Amino acid sequence: MSVRATAVVYCEGKFGQQDGKTANGLVRNSQKYEIVSVIDSTLAGQDAGFVLNGVVNGIPVLANLAEAIAHAGAVPDSLIFGMAPAGGLLTDTQRVDLLDGISRGMNLVNGLHEFLNEDAEFASAALLSGVTITDVRRTKDRKDLRLFSGRIFDVTCPRVAVLGTDGAIGKRTTTTLLVEALNARGVKAVMIGTGQTALIQGAKYAVALDATVPQFCSGEVEAQVVAAFENEDPDIIVIEGQGALSHPAYLTSAYILRGSRPDGVIVQHAPKRAMLDDYRFLPMPTAASEIALIESFAETRVIGITINHEHMTDEQIATSIDEHELELGIPATDPLTRPLDRLVEMVLLAYPALAERSRITVPS
């Protein structure tokens, strides 16, 4: 196995929050980088895993870059911008902090819509320090982008998309956990990433969908699914969702449904979230209304509900799981607080043929 580059994740004032979802995701899972610390002065001194999940993982949250370098014992290879604000642009303070990292000899990994290789100050700073800037959301040249071709109809394994009722609600986390759990139980699963965080984490098949020219979005999703099917020979492919089909500002779920043509969908929902994350003047949809919209928009079926437990006690989570199962007639679980077997069972109940490859028994 190749040695992973060391990285510090910059998430000042936002770690553990919705706008810190890139940092949150990297702390939970990173195939490409060894995360040595997270920068957020408001949580300095705490353990990153404990902040997110209540389980210590040994990644400290530190106050600034100087502390991060001192803790690492050397200058880490990269500084990753760990926030995903709706506007996708840097503040003045963030610019200063990232330029500090470049001046100390760290490569910069940027997932924003603002391309820092095109910023004269950043480009000259990187040249002077002999480091690189990776703009993750920079798409391929237009000539290399793919239109929808219909090749998705040649993909014969099941395809499940993890969609949701809002942005920053845990779709990528659920996708990652599901793929890991299926593989651990003998079902070969491959993840298709559709956002900048999956690309930074090191997903082999991924596209920054919200930075892709709309005409090519369905085709680019299709191309990733087809490549995964042809190269990996998987039992199942799981596609990370973006935004929500009902969301007035995001169209990415529509492209995922059209491009990957999933025969199954899991819907991630936060029962205690009253208003949309970045649009607090708009109420959240219900899981039931989102299911109805998805199933009317695409030739697919929703096979389960996954609960985001923000602002919920364990008792409330249990009640919500029971209520959603009773109301909707499909399985429900919280992947972060309940055994992952329940998430796997959700898929195996929908695709009984896969159960033969799994090392767990599916309840009848």
Side-chain angles (χ1 to χ4, degrees):
M1 180 180 292
S2 61
V3 177
R4 292 181 297 167
T6 55
V8 173
V9 182
Y10 177 83
C11 196
E12 177 58 32
K14 297 295 183 180
F15 184 61
Q17 300 179 35
Q18 289 158 8
D19 278 358
K21 65 180 184 179
T22 297
N24 303 343
L26 287 165
V27 165
R28 289 189 172 110
N29 178 276
S30 179
Q31 302 169 53
K32 188 173 183 179
Y33 297 98
E34 177 191 351
I35 307 303
V36 296
S37 62
V38 174
I39 294 175
D40 184 346
S41 62
T42 66
L43 297 171
Q46 299 191 53
D47 178 90
F50 189 80
V51 170
L52 288 182
N53 303 321
V55 179
V56 172
N57 68 358
I59 300 175
V61 184
L62 303 173
N64 52 52
L65 188 55
E67 286 189 14
I69 293 173
H71 173 268
V75 177
D77 299 313
S78 297
L79 179 62
I80 302 174
F81 188 78
M83 290 174 271
L89 302 176
L90 290 177
T91 67
D92 290 342
T93 299
Q94 291 164 356
R95 288 181 65 90
V96 170
D97 290 341
L98 295 185
L99 286 165
D100 181 33
I102 290 176
S103 71
R104 293 172 185 268
M106 301 175 73
N107 299 314
L108 180 60
V109 180
N110 166 45
L112 296 174
H113 288 292
E114 181 178 8
F115 296 155
L116 299 183
N117 271 304
E118 297 176 356
D119 184 296
E121 186 176 18
F122 275 92
S124 60
L127 183 63
L128 184 65
S129 296
V131 301
T132 62
I133 298 174
T134 301
D135 290 316
V136 176
R137 271 188 165 120
R138 183 183 292 279
T139 60
K140 297 175 290 187
D141 292 338
R142 294 285 179 93
K143 64 181 177 60
D144 297 321
L145 292 171
R146 276 80 55 97
L147 289 167
F148 184 79
S149 68
R151 293 183 67 204
I152 195 68
F153 299 113
D154 297 327
V155 176
T156 56
C157 72
R159 300 178 301 283
V160 172
V162 180
L163 305 183
T165 52
D166 193 9
I169 205 168
K171 298 180 290 290
R172 187 195 63 257
T173 297
T174 292
T175 303
T176 302
L177 290 172
L178 176 57
V179 168
E180 290 177 349
L182 284 167
N183 280 301
R185 289 156 178 80
V187 177
K188 187 174 182 181
V190 177
M191 173 179 168
I192 306 298
T194 55
Q196 79 279 4
T197 302
L199 284 162
I200 296 172
Q201 286 174 319
K204 186 174 181 180
Y205 302 97
V207 56
L209 200 55
D210 66 356
T212 302
V213 177
Q215 184 176 359
F216 299 99
C217 284
S218 295
E220 285 296 306
V221 173
E222 177 192 44
Q224 295 299 321
V225 175
V226 170
F229 177 68
E230 293 180 344
N231 296 338
E232 309 296 335
D233 190 25
D235 297 321
I236 186 171
I237 294 173
V238 186
I239 304 101
E240 172 199 12
Q242 294 292 323
L245 187 60
S246 62
H247 203 295
Y250 307 134
L251 296 176
T252 37
S253 288
Y255 299 128
I256 290 166
L257 286 166
R258 289 292 188 247
S260 69
R261 308 287 295 194
D263 37 63
V265 171
I266 293 171
V267 173
Q268 179 97 2
H269 180 55
K272 291 295 184 180
R273 190 181 294 189
M275 311 300 282
L276 293 178
D277 176 34
D278 288 318
Y279 296 82
R280 299 302 175 87
F281 55 90
L282 293 171
M284 280 281 290
T286 63
S289 68
E290 196 72 23
I291 289 171
L293 182 61
I294 290 168
E295 293 185 340
S296 64
F297 179 81
E299 295 178 2
T300 190
R301 59 178 175 139
V302 174
I303 64 172
I305 297 292
T306 44
I307 300 296
N308 177 319
H309 61 257
E310 63 186 27
H311 312 306
M312 299 176 74
T313 65
D314 192 71
E315 183 179 355
Q316 289 172 327
I317 297 169
T319 299
S320 182
I321 289 171
D322 290 343
E323 288 177 346
H324 280 88
E325 288 189 336
L326 183 62
E327 176 190 0
L328 302 171
I330 54 177
T333 189
D334 175 2
L336 289 176
T337 67
R338 293 328 188 237
L340 285 176
D341 279 355
R342 297 188 184 182
L343 184 61
V344 172
E345 288 168 4
M346 183 183 292
V347 173
L348 299 186
L349 283 168
Y351 303 99
L354 295 180
E356 298 175 6
R357 301 179 176 89
S358 174
R359 291 192 287 269
I360 64 172
T361 302
V362 182
S364 56

